[in-house]
Amino acid sequence: MKQYKCHKISEGCAEAEAIVSGDHIMFYLMEPETGRVIENAHDLEGKTIAKKILIFPGGKGSSVVQADGLFQLNMHGNMPVAMIIQFPETVLVSSAIIMEIPMVDKVDPAFYQDVKDGDLVRVDATNGVVEIL
């Protein structure tokens, strides 16, 4: 197990499989019914973020499509269980807080070198800790 310090954005704890994106994410370009990324040529195209720890640089697109995309995923029960973001922005932060999704940033840079798709990750935003189990 490896442990890394982080900064809490939205409190809570979650443990799940990691899905890592090198690309910024537009939540509007996901199927709400499955959580599958449908954006052409995206790093995660064809993969699902549902019930996973989503690790990504940040969001893209207007605030309206970001908030609506997250809302639609939430309505279908296909949100990530936690989000680790490198470049948080107001709409994603407020959406995570409102939808009670643990979100952290400022994770030790070594984490991004160590974590891989499919790793079991625990996010304890409340205590400022991320672990690769």
Side-chain angles (χ1 to χ4, degrees):
M1 177 180 70
K2 293 184 180 181
Q3 192 174 79
Y4 310 84
K5 292 189 182 295
C6 64
H7 169 255
K8 172 185 78 172
I9 294 174
S10 177
E11 68 183 13
C13 297
E15 185 176 308
E17 178 183 328
I19 187 160
V20 182
S21 176
D23 293 340
H24 284 65
I25 290 180
M26 183 182 294
F27 289 93
Y28 197 72
L29 292 177
M30 297 185 180
E31 288 179 341
E33 301 81 9
T34 63
R36 189 172 65 88
V37 177
I38 58 174
E39 182 179 349
N40 290 331
H42 191 278
D43 200 25
L44 301 181
E45 183 180 5
K47 297 180 181 178
T48 182
I49 65 161
K51 300 173 181 59
K52 294 182 181 177
I53 306 284
L54 178 60
I55 302 160
F56 66 117
K60 65 181 180 180
S62 74
S63 58
V64 172
V65 298
Q66 288 290 38
D68 186 53
L70 284 166
F71 175 75
Q72 294 299 324
L73 288 165
N74 192 38
M75 292 300 295
H76 286 87
N78 288 317
M79 286 287 291
V81 296
M83 293 188 273
I84 299 173
I85 189 168
Q86 290 175 291
F87 308 107
E89 54 196 70
T90 305
V91 70
L92 293 179
V93 167
S94 58
S95 295
I97 292 168
I98 291 167
M99 295 180 204
E100 299 180 345
I101 307 293
M103 179 185 268
V104 299
D105 69 346
K106 299 179 185 170
V107 182
D108 182 333
F111 170 77
Y112 294 100
Q113 295 173 356
D114 296 341
V115 71
K116 307 286 183 271
D117 272 352
D119 284 348
L120 185 59
V121 172
R122 183 171 192 270
V123 174
D124 183 348
T126 305
N127 293 302
V129 176
V130 172
E131 298 170 318
I132 300 174
L133 306 174

